[in-house]
Amino acid sequence: MAMQWLPPDWPGNFWAHWAVFTVIIVAFILVMFLAFTWFERRALAIMQARLGPNRAGPFGLLQPVADGLKVLLKEDIVPAKGDKLVHWLAPVVAFVPAMLIFAVIPFQGGALLADLNIGILYIVAISSVTTVGIFMAGWASNNKYSTLGAMRQIASVVSYEIPVVLSVVGVVLLAGSLSLQQIVAAQDIPFILLQPLGFLLFFIGALAEINRTPFDLTEADSELVAGFNIEYSGIKWGLFFLAEYAEALAISAIVTTVFLGGWRGPLLPDWLWFLVKVGIIFFVIVWIRTTIPRVRIDQLMALAWKFLFPLALLNLLITAVEILVWPEVSLWVFVPVNIAIAIVLIVLWSKFFKLGWGKVEV
Amino acid sequence: MATTAKTKEVVINTEPFVVNFGPAHPSTHGVFRMRITLDGEVVVDMEPVFGYLHRGIEKLAEERTYTQVIPLTDRLDYLASMSNNLAYCLAVEKLAGIAVPERVEYIRVIMAELQRIASHLIAVGSFVQDCGAFMTPYVYMLRERERILDLFEMVSGQRLTYNYMRVGGVSQDVPDEFIPALAKFLKEMPGWINEYDRLLKDNEILLARAKGVGILPRDLAIDIAASGPVLRGSGVKWDIRKADPYSIYDRFEFDIPTGTVGDCYDRYRVRVEEMRQSLRILKQAMKGLPRGEVRSEVPHLIRPPAGEAYGHIEAPKGDLGFYLVSDGSIAPYRFHVRAPTLINLTVLADMMRGWKIADAIVIFGSIDICMGEVDR
Amino acid sequence: MKFERYGLGIAKGLTVTIRHLLRRPVTTQYPEQRLNPSRRTRGNELIWDEAKCTGCGTCAKACHIGAIHISTSTDLVNNKYEVKSYEVDTGYCIFCGLCVEACPFEALFMSYDYERAQYRRGDLFQSKENMAETPERKVSGYFYPGRAAKLPKQSLLVDNDRGKR
């Protein structure tokens, strides 16, 4: 019943392994995308004292299918003065990297498409390519709102890359390898307990990278009327929508693998544990979306450069010191120590953190 | 045009461009158009264009009798119909010299204060929605507003344009189930307002978005004749219920909340505190409701003596005034509305200069305009 | 922004939202569940009592946009007005209820029903044939407390508070 992973010397050779896992990954992304859109709308609605979609199919489970059909059947409008080739390519460039991330995430012990020994580095590199797609979309739409949205997107992604990468490096130090499979194997204690500050920094930074509330100012509904998405309709818009949820899924999967112990857990089969943890992280993302207002662009960048970046450096320094100076001490000792240090640092840094100037003299 | 940074001349040639926040936009409340000149993300200038909802109410009123004008006044500020009705009836009663029975005064106060709470719920909800909180606080406040609308539906039959007050009284007496329902509402509402405070008051991101943003200095607020929460947020303790009391407001005990700085956060806090004060007034009015009739002896077609009168009240959005000129016939000769939101929005350009586009929306949401009043 | 409460303000907000997961939603599933409108609701039609109407035209004069059209002729035998046609243009009407208040003979009522949408604009015109009170076309208690007492109670949100389980 448990899924058998295919060893490299399986008689089907490399290409069969690749084909099977590609099919699995594509199916996984598409099915989870449908499930996530449904789950988000229902959870958001119940937290807002109303019912979500519950007409299309039992409990509204066919609602994503209905949405997909609607999106496919819409007319494809291209702005007359926009750059047509760029306009056509932008959704593709935005969506494909989100899929590529899943090549290195282990669904079960050893079950992954390619066990790269630079796993985390590959993920970080690939996930930045979506920004190019979004900027192409903003540029090619020939619309001032889209361009504003695209500019904000670039500023925010560039600012948040650094704290995200630095917080992951702490985990890499503890696990001793960049490969995701080794990181999962090294988590006898889940790294969320050993690196609480790293988890928080990574989570906030990742939310900013994928443009979810409270950082969704590139597609702020109430200001820019959907930002770079304005001039898109039909399946091209559908691809942007798909890209947003695929990235949210990717972030949940990365957080699960790197901080929560991946597929490890008692009792239940491994792939089920993976799905449960991904689901929990996604629920937290939706919960945050329900509650918190949006930040402004300069506050966003101030948060990245003045708050998260120094904390990430300090986190790295403390982790490195702990590993070098006390290599034989059991890791359980570091759990309360790290949690205490995290709380102290956050409280201390909040006292000194000041946002930038708000009003400009014109 | 070179932009200057804080310390040195940066020679980057930038050009300001004009963005049109057109009449159909998710966050301009109603059909309001702004032409904003932007330099990057910074607002350099703003030009409001309104008139998209002009329906000619002032002209229409000249051809209707005094009672027929009341449904027209409903549709001025459609989110606070009871206040509009009340102001108009006060103006006509002043013009014609009609006195109203005691029970009517108490009922009018109850309706006006309930309407104030309902209007402020929408104002605060849409303000937080403009800050980006994705509908959740807004939906909670709409749920509370449903309770108030149920009460209004019980009394007048409709949920938005009530047409409830008449010259010399109200249309019908409140039914028997009104007072118990009102008592239940008054018991629950403070708990809900506390829940909103728990959700929003100390929220760091809301503080970052709204504190210090869009400051209206105290002198400027007085100079441009601002009124309502916009004026009180800037620190001026001016409320028509205390300064020029109408109806029986001088019998009730309540405070006037004011802000200190005049930023968006202060205006939001003023509105929430006003809701609490309205609950206080409601409790006192409900306890003191006397028996009696609900209409004084007023002819079917009122013919006030020739003259003019101005009746103004503290509507939820500000100082709402009706100016009536009569020439002795059954219809007003001239009917003019002093709309508080129109006068408040003249200072919008000054408040927005120097802030970013995201702040422009927040500032606009905090002064709480309703296009029905602005355009009439 | 100073994190005055070190992120605690956001944490308090998060607890408020998650508590709603345990509460029942306040919305109802229309059209399977219909809530009762108020007893005095000003429904989307007018109901006219032919027996009591004398054709005086007070309602037409009270209507502020002239949506009521009455045409009468004199009946010298019975010494009264005979109302030849009584028409209301519900497309024009704003349901303010001034006509109901104005009628001196209690011959005009607002209807209790709000689901009166039609497919064509011409169908919104009500004339003598479809203005009588029938068991399907109920009369609302607007301005007439006697009639209001016979209608079902209004569903109030403060009563069955669906905010708590």
Side-chain angles (χ1 to χ4, degrees):
Chain A
M1 194 176 67
M3 199 167 67
Q4 287 286 19
W5 61 278
L6 308 168
D9 54 346
W10 188 58
N13 74 25
F14 171 75
W15 289 108
H17 176 109
W18 172 85
V20 165
F21 273 102
T22 308
V23 166
I24 290 178
I25 288 180
V26 172
F28 175 72
I29 294 182
L30 291 177
V31 168
M32 290 303 280
F33 162 72
L34 292 178
F36 271 12
T37 41
W38 176 86
F39 181 69
E40 169 163 29
R41 285 177 73 170
R42 288 298 296 232
L44 207 61
I46 295 192
M47 288 202 265
Q48 288 175 350
R50 58 188 176 96
L51 302 164
N54 60 355
R55 282 285 200 194
F59 293 110
L61 283 170
L62 292 180
Q63 181 71 33
V65 176
D67 282 339
L69 268 178
K70 175 198 82 162
V71 161
L72 279 172
L73 293 174
K74 278 206 175 164
E75 178 191 349
D76 189 19
I77 304 178
V78 180
K81 292 220 189 108
D83 198 337
K84 297 215 176 8
L85 180 63
V86 176
H87 187 97
W88 185 87
L89 273 179
V92 178
V93 174
F95 174 60
V96 169
M99 268 211 292
L100 289 178
I101 292 181
F102 283 93
V104 287
I105 296 194
F107 294 97
Q108 200 180 323
L112 64 169
L113 177 57
D115 187 10
L116 298 178
N117 52 359
I118 50 159
I120 287 282
L121 187 61
Y122 165 81
I123 289 180
V124 166
I126 289 286
S127 63
S128 326
V129 179
T130 40
T131 320
V132 177
I134 293 182
F135 183 64
M136 285 164 68
W139 176 256
S141 298
N142 191 33
N143 187 335
K144 286 176 198 142
Y145 288 129
S146 318
T147 320
L148 270 177
M151 292 296 183
R152 288 179 176 183
Q153 163 76 359
I154 294 190
S156 71
V157 166
V158 164
S159 314
Y160 277 91
E161 281 293 333
I162 302 185
V164 162
V165 173
L166 283 178
S167 49
V168 168
V169 174
V171 167
V172 168
L173 279 181
L174 276 175
S177 153
L178 284 169
S179 151
L180 279 177
Q181 193 154 314
Q182 303 288 338
I183 290 181
V184 172
Q187 285 191 51
D188 294 316
I189 312 173
F191 285 155
I192 185 175
L193 293 173
L194 279 174
Q195 294 262 293
L197 191 57
F199 169 73
L200 270 175
L201 296 173
F202 182 80
F203 195 63
I204 300 179
L207 273 182
E209 296 243 338
I210 60 177
N211 296 328
R212 291 289 288 199
T213 321
F215 306 112
D216 63 346
L217 24 86
T218 54
E219 31 172 74
D221 283 324
S222 53
E223 296 153 26
L224 297 179
V225 201
F228 63 89
N229 274 338
I230 289 182
E231 300 286 346
Y232 280 91
S233 66
I235 189 59
K236 292 188 193 155
W237 179 87
L239 267 182
F240 273 120
F241 195 59
L242 186 58
E244 180 183 332
Y245 280 90
E247 283 182 29
L249 177 62
I251 293 292
S252 311
I254 297 173
V255 168
T256 322
T257 318
V258 170
F259 286 103
L260 287 182
W263 43 263
R264 291 172 71 142
L267 293 180
L268 294 173
D270 293 337
W271 51 272
L272 195 59
W273 264 121
F274 182 73
L275 285 177
V276 163
K277 290 179 189 175
V278 166
I280 293 179
I281 299 282
F282 187 68
F283 174 69
V284 174
I285 293 181
V286 170
W287 185 18
I288 291 183
R289 178 183 186 191
T290 321
T291 320
I292 303 186
R294 193 181 296 140
V295 300
R296 211 171 57 204
I297 181 67
D298 60 325
Q299 292 165 353
L300 180 81
M301 306 226 283
L303 188 68
W305 289 105
K306 295 202 269 189
F307 190 74
L308 295 182
F309 175 48
L311 280 183
L313 282 179
L314 281 174
N315 179 38
L316 189 56
L317 176 67
I318 293 176
T319 314
V321 163
E322 285 175 1
I323 291 183
L324 274 183
V325 175
W326 299 284
E328 302 92 28
V329 176
S330 150
L331 285 175
W332 283 104
V333 170
F334 285 124
V335 170
V337 169
N338 277 352
I339 295 182
I341 292 181
I343 295 179
V344 165
L345 272 180
I346 291 181
V347 168
L348 217 64
W349 213 260
S350 317
K351 273 189 160 357
F352 297 122
F353 177 64
K354 273 192 190 33
L355 269 188
W357 27 288
K359 187 165 172 156
V360 179
E361 290 307 314
V362 285
Chain B
M1 169 174 128
T3 46
T4 44
K6 269 209 208 150
T7 48
K8 57 181 172 76
E9 278 270 328
V10 177
V11 188
I12 304 178
N13 273 338
T14 59
E15 230 179 71
F17 64 101
V18 178
V19 162
N20 185 34
F21 270 76
H25 193 274
S27 69
T28 58
H29 309 272
V31 277
F32 182 67
R33 180 171 161 208
M34 292 192 279
R35 305 184 72 236
I36 304 188
T37 314
L38 289 173
D39 183 10
E41 280 242 358
V42 176
V43 172
V44 170
D45 198 8
M46 196 277 289
E47 180 193 329
V49 179
F50 43 86
Y52 288 92
L53 196 52
H54 180 71
R55 295 158 290 180
I57 288 189
E58 296 187 356
K59 173 68 182 164
L60 283 176
E62 292 174 14
E63 284 151 27
R64 278 140 175 75
T65 68
Y66 285 91
T67 314
Q68 284 174 340
V69 174
I70 298 179
L72 281 181
T73 58
D74 268 340
R75 285 146 173 86
L76 278 175
D77 176 4
Y78 37 81
L79 296 171
S81 289
M82 287 285 189
S83 306
N84 298 0
N85 285 352
L86 175 61
Y88 174 71
C89 291
L90 282 178
V92 178
E93 283 155 16
K94 219 189 259 191
L95 187 59
I98 301 174
V100 293
E102 271 292 295
R103 187 174 166 91
V104 167
E105 302 270 29
Y106 276 85
I107 293 182
R108 278 182 177 179
V109 165
I110 291 180
M111 295 303 159
E113 293 307 314
L114 274 176
Q115 185 67 79
R116 189 183 310 274
I117 299 178
S119 175
H120 280 326
L121 281 171
I122 293 228
V124 171
S126 60
F127 167 68
V128 184
Q129 154 87 356
D130 284 341
C131 288
F134 193 68
M135 298 295 290
T136 307
Y138 203 2
V139 170
Y140 294 162
M141 296 186 192
L142 286 178
R143 180 189 58 195
E144 264 49 82
R145 186 171 170 257
E146 276 302 304
R147 296 168 217 257
I148 300 182
L149 290 186
D150 279 341
L151 290 173
F152 281 152
E153 194 187 353
M154 194 196 295
V155 161
S156 73
Q158 291 223 351
R159 283 157 49 97
L160 197 67
T161 49
Y162 314 113
N163 189 21
Y164 182 59
M165 315 239 176
R166 297 279 179 272
V167 177
V170 291
S171 151
Q172 313 162 53
D173 202 352
V174 295
D176 296 325
E177 54 262 21
F178 182 74
I179 298 290
L182 181 62
K184 262 192 240 186
F185 171 72
L186 285 179
K187 208 161 50 148
E188 298 178 342
M189 192 65 186
W192 294 117
I193 300 187
N194 290 342
E195 188 173 282
Y196 305 147
D197 272 354
R198 233 195 344 229
L199 177 59
L200 293 171
K201 178 164 151 218
D202 291 321
N203 195 324
E204 283 88 5
I205 300 187
L206 185 67
L207 286 171
R209 284 304 291 272
K211 226 178 171 50
V213 171
I215 295 184
L216 182 63
R218 191 199 151 101
D219 296 326
L220 185 58
I222 300 180
D223 279 343
I224 56 145
S227 55
V230 174
L231 181 67
R232 289 195 280 279
S234 298
V236 181
K237 216 175 170 89
W238 175 259
D239 186 328
I240 306 221
R241 293 176 288 174
K242 289 250 194 227
D244 184 10
Y246 54 94
S247 189
I248 48 167
Y249 273 102
D250 39 8
R251 295 191 210 170
F252 298 121
E253 247 185 61
F254 59 99
D255 300 320
I256 305 179
T258 49
T260 42
V261 181
D263 55 10
C264 296
Y265 189 73
D266 274 342
R267 292 192 274 272
Y268 150 69
R269 289 312 303 166
V270 162
R271 288 196 176 102
V272 173
E273 294 301 321
E274 276 189 15
M275 281 201 274
R276 291 202 169 106
Q277 296 303 317
S278 287
L279 288 175
R280 247 173 102 180
I281 301 181
L282 275 173
K283 262 208 201 80
Q284 297 167 42
M286 194 176 75
K287 260 200 291 232
L289 185 64
R291 297 180 175 286
E293 46 187 47
V294 287
R295 267 201 190 192
S296 52
E297 293 294 322
V298 168
H300 192 77
L301 291 176
I302 307 168
R303 264 174 238 265
E308 55 186 36
Y310 180 74
H312 65 158
I313 67 162
E314 180 73 24
K317 297 192 161 57
D319 173 359
L320 174 67
F322 282 82
Y323 174 66
L324 280 168
V325 175
S326 146
D327 59 351
S329 65
I330 56 175
Y333 180 73
R334 172 80 174 108
F335 168 82
H336 175 72
V337 180
R338 186 236 185 238
T341 43
L342 173 60
I343 307 211
N344 285 351
L345 81 81
T346 51
V347 78
L348 203 53
D350 284 322
M351 280 204 278
M352 274 195 199
R353 225 165 255 141
W355 292 99
K356 305 209 170 34
I357 243 197
D359 303 314
I361 305 289
V362 168
I363 297 173
F364 182 69
S366 77
I367 60 171
D368 185 25
I369 72 168
C370 176
M371 289 317 284
E373 255 185 345
V374 171
D375 289 338
R376 295 186 283 280
Chain C
M1 84 194 142
K2 279 177 163 304
F3 271 112
E4 283 143 54
R5 307 289 205 97
Y6 319 114
L8 280 181
I10 296 183
K12 268 201 297 190
L14 287 173
T15 55
V16 169
T17 334
I18 197 125
R19 214 178 290 174
H20 275 85
L21 276 181
L22 304 169
R23 293 182 183 164
R24 255 185 297 155
V26 283
T27 50
T28 53
Q29 190 75 25
Y30 181 87
E32 284 88 16
Q33 295 168 285
R34 280 166 223 243
L35 300 173
N36 288 339
S38 141
R39 287 172 173 177
R40 296 185 184 178
T41 186
R42 308 209 282 253
N44 285 3
E45 265 188 345
L46 283 177
I47 297 183
W48 178 61
D49 189 345
E50 184 159 7
K52 290 206 195 130
C53 177
T54 60
C56 65
T58 313
C59 55
K61 288 197 205 101
C63 174
H64 94 81
I65 31 180
I68 301 184
H69 307 284
I70 306 183
S71 158
T72 56
S73 66
T74 48
D75 184 356
L76 292 169
V77 172
N78 298 329
N79 196 22
K80 58 189 275 218
Y81 275 127
E82 177 199 331
V83 178
K84 278 207 320 239
S85 75
Y86 188 98
E87 284 169 350
V88 176
D89 189 357
T90 30
Y92 223 5
C93 171
I94 64 171
F95 310 111
C96 60
L98 285 177
C99 53
V100 174
E101 293 185 24
C103 176
F105 301 103
E106 299 192 7
L108 193 58
F109 305 91
M110 306 257 3
S111 107
Y112 187 66
D113 201 6
Y114 52 89
E115 292 164 332
R116 296 261 99 236
Q118 311 291 342
Y119 280 100
R120 287 195 211 88
R121 205 185 292 178
D123 292 340
L124 286 174
F125 221 81
Q126 271 186 300
S127 53
K128 263 169 53 159
E129 296 82 39
N130 49 7
M131 282 182 76
E133 177 183 355
T134 60
E136 289 88 32
R137 204 180 284 130
K138 287 201 277 212
V139 155
S140 132
Y142 182 69
F143 206 65
Y144 297 114
R147 296 286 196 140
K150 298 196 199 121
L151 290 168
K153 270 187 152 341
Q154 179 188 359
S155 3
L156 294 172
L157 188 52
V158 287
D159 274 339
N160 41 356
D161 193 327
R162 282 162 280 199
K164 304 186 184 36
R165 277 216 157 191

